[in-house]
Amino acid sequence: MINIYELEKKWLRYKIKSYLPQIIFITIIITISSYYILPYSIKTIKNIINIVPSDILKNQNTKTLTQNKKIIIENNTSIINKKTAKDDKSLQNIAKETDNKIVLTPSLNFIDTLENTTPEYYKKKESIKKIVVKNTKIIKKKIQKQKEVKQITIKKIEKKSISIKRRNNQNDINYVIKRFENNNDPQLSLFLSKKYYEMKKYKKAYNYALITNKIDKNIEESWLIFSKSLVKLNKKNMSIKILKRYIQQSKSNQAKILLNDIVLGKFQ
Amino acid sequence: MKSSIFENSKNSFLDNVNARDYVHLDKVSAIYQSLKSSVQKPLKMILLYGKPGTGKSMFLEKLYHDLSESQKIYLYKTPLLNESEFFKTLATDLFGISYQGELNFTQFMLILNDNKLEETPVIFLDEAQLYSSVLMEKIRLLSDTRKIKFVITLHKTNQEDLIAKEHFQTRIWESIELENSSMSELKSYIQKKLMKTNCFDTASMFNKKSIKLIYKLTKGNYRDTNKLLYNVFDIYDWYYNNNPSKINMSNISNKIIEMSAIYTGLIND
């Protein structure tokens, strides 16, 4: 027969034993954490106490000072009345004692320390504010300078770009003419005729289109610019004839459209 | 009465080796089938080994129960340590000859040669690790005649492994190892065992948590599980009769399992 009561006791002991390592572990952690956290918490409490308004402390201190003084005066008179100058020495001692008591009244030095120590957080804020103000001023100056520099540079760039454009056109054409003279490439002569047509130099455009056509008769654009230039040079009939001949050869749609425009007077 | 449920449940975990108490588990059934087919093969010896409490004796008992009607099988549950007594028992069982005096190995061999057997008898030797090495050597020689087949069970310990190596290594045709159950097997073992005795209420009281604790305590050993649960239901029975408010009828209490483990020595308090 099992003795259940005894077994329950054994089970309880076993349970305590099995949980013992966990309990020990938790207590160790708590003690270690409290060892490190407690001093810190005491410091914070002290700081909170120090933050109590100095005015209240001052008032409290002055009150206690007057109270103490009153008590001391009362004590002194009572002692003087009682002993009535029995012993000069004893009076001197009492006077010394009263002096000592006044000396033992609460010190106000901590107020000075408070003024010196407490507002670190605010000091930081003020310093940050100053730094921010300084920084904003510097940034503003910098931005202004940058703006000025930008304006100057933009102006410079604009001036430069205009001059480059003009030079480019002239330089390009001269350069292309030189190259064309060297290699007689029809693409170069076509480019020159196009350029001159854009520049409304229709004679030059007509000449270079003709040159291109002589080199290579299959370049359609040379035919079109040639006939367009002729129209611009008031040689509309000649232009129509040439276009018709080209259309017979190539059956180009673009040439047909241009011919139609010239005949109808849409292209002038 | 509810108390009878705990009483019945308790009795279903009595550590009896009885073929009727055999519980069919998937893994165990597979091993059993392979052992059954091995017995029917023309093998000289079959070794069944494993740690104590893994069900070797139950296997042997079940096999004997299943095959004894169709085959000539003799089960020796308790070892016959005296050599003369061993051969005398064999002579009586196999040939129906009873000897008054001593019977040694050579005399028994003469009897074996003189008497013809219609079929090869199978001798089941449980707890074979208790036989002396001299007697084991003689059993080996007997199996070499192919006139008698032996199925022996051994505990798996270092020393017993030595015996196995020395005497059977070259002769054993089939060796089957039995292991402790897994957690899921243990759960079905417990529940099947309870259901066999119609203890459905207590079978449903076992949940995953309690099975986990039982497995932790017994490591899946069937004998330890039987012992533990026998005492669990004994404690339940006591509470039911003396302090029923302390027990929960829906779940098996871990406290009671632990109390039983302390009582059986599975936990050292």
Side-chain angles (χ1 to χ4, degrees), chain A residues 149-162:
Chain A
V149 169
K150 271 186 179 177
Q151 281 175 349
I152 292 157
T153 49
I154 288 160
K155 279 175 185 174
K156 280 179 182 174
I157 289 160
E158 278 174 351
K159 278 177 185 176
K160 275 184 180 176
S161 65
I162 291 159

Side-chain angles (χ1 to χ4, degrees), chain B:
Chain B
M1 260 180 85
K2 277 272 178 186
S3 63
S4 67
I5 290 170
F6 293 120
E7 191 70 34
N8 288 340
S9 305
K10 186 177 86 173
N11 291 334
S12 60
F13 288 101
L14 273 169
D15 199 24
N16 285 339
V17 181
N18 195 324
R20 282 175 299 173
D21 297 333
Y22 178 81
V23 177
H24 282 280
L25 298 168
D26 291 345
K27 198 172 100 182
V28 176
S29 294
I31 294 168
Y32 176 76
Q33 285 305 321
S34 74
L35 180 66
K36 201 174 169 182
S37 61
S38 300
V39 169
Q40 285 158 344
K41 283 177 198 168
L43 304 172
K44 285 190 217 170
M45 264 194 183
I46 297 158
L47 174 67
L48 192 64
Y49 68 103
K51 286 174 186 171
T54 48
K56 298 181 294 293
S57 302
M58 179 59 91
F59 253 69
L60 226 53
E61 179 73 33
K62 173 74 179 158
L63 202 66
Y64 174 73
H65 182 262
D66 290 355
L67 299 175
S68 58
E69 284 179 10
S70 58
Q71 257 181 293
K72 234 182 174 184
I73 294 172
Y74 303 94
L75 171 63
Y76 299 157
K77 287 182 186 178
T78 46
L80 301 157
L81 300 175
N82 185 287
E83 195 182 310
S84 174
E85 196 185 338
F86 178 78
F87 290 119
K88 269 159 72 176
T89 314
L90 270 183
T92 314
D93 287 341
L94 299 178
F95 309 109
I97 305 162
S98 56
Y99 282 86
Q100 295 295 322
E102 291 281 306
L103 185 70
N104 57 29
F105 175 69
T106 42
Q107 284 170 326
F108 182 78
M109 285 296 270
L110 286 169
I111 297 163
L112 192 67
N113 289 327
D114 291 344
N115 294 282
K116 280 188 179 176
L117 293 161
E118 286 176 8
E119 57 173 311
T120 312
V122 187
I123 311 292
F124 288 0
L125 297 178
D126 198 7
E127 307 282 0
Q129 76 278 355
L130 295 172
Y131 289 91
S132 69
S133 55
V134 178
L135 186 56
M136 284 312 285
E137 186 63 25
K138 284 166 184 170
I139 291 166
R140 179 187 70 78
L141 290 168
L142 272 176
S143 71
D144 280 347
T145 62
R146 285 191 177 271
K147 287 185 174 176
I148 306 169
K149 193 192 281 182
F150 287 93
V151 176
I152 57 168
T153 67
L154 277 175
H155 281 183
K156 196 190 175 188
T157 62
N158 290 335
Q159 201 188 341
E160 285 136 17
D161 274 353
L162 255 176
I163 294 166
K165 274 178 192 170
E166 283 173 3
H167 299 288
F168 309 118
Q169 208 173 36
T170 53
R171 288 166 183 85
I172 289 162
W173 284 69
E174 191 84 40
S175 68
I176 297 160
E177 187 181 4
L178 290 176
E179 289 172 335
N180 286 338
S181 68
S182 67
M183 213 197 302
S184 58
E185 281 169 349
L186 190 73
K187 190 186 177 184
S188 55
Y189 170 78
I190 292 165
Q191 288 182 330
K192 278 182 179 178
K193 224 164 189 287
L194 285 165
M195 283 178 201
K196 267 196 164 186
T197 50
N198 296 326
C199 299
F200 300 105
D201 292 337
T202 47
S204 64
M205 280 170 79
F206 288 88
N207 56 22
K208 203 178 174 183
K209 203 177 163 186
S210 53
I211 294 291
K212 203 176 172 182
L213 180 61
I214 293 165
Y215 186 78
K216 191 185 161 189
L217 294 164
T218 62
K219 296 180 182 71
N221 189 282
Y222 295 108
R223 189 172 291 158
D224 287 344
T225 307
N226 287 346
K227 256 199 299 182
L228 181 78
L229 291 177
Y230 176 85
N231 288 307
V232 163
F233 288 115
D234 200 15
I235 295 164
Y236 260 102
D237 197 36
W238 185 91
Y239 275 118
Y240 190 83
N241 291 320
N242 300 294
N243 202 348
S245 63
K246 270 199 165 183
I247 51 169
N248 179 3
M249 299 296 282
S250 57
N251 286 314
I252 291 280
S253 155
N254 276 7
K255 182 191 168 182
I256 291 174
I257 294 169
E258 283 170 344
M259 279 167 71
S260 170
I262 290 165
Y263 185 74
T264 50
L266 292 168
I267 288 174
N268 295 316
D269 64 309

Side-chain angles (χ1 to χ4, degrees), chain A residues 38-51:
Chain A
L38 260 176
Y40 177 75
S41 60
I42 290 162
K43 271 185 182 179
T44 50
I45 291 159
K46 276 182 180 176
N47 286 332
I48 291 159
I49 293 160
N50 286 335
I51 292 161

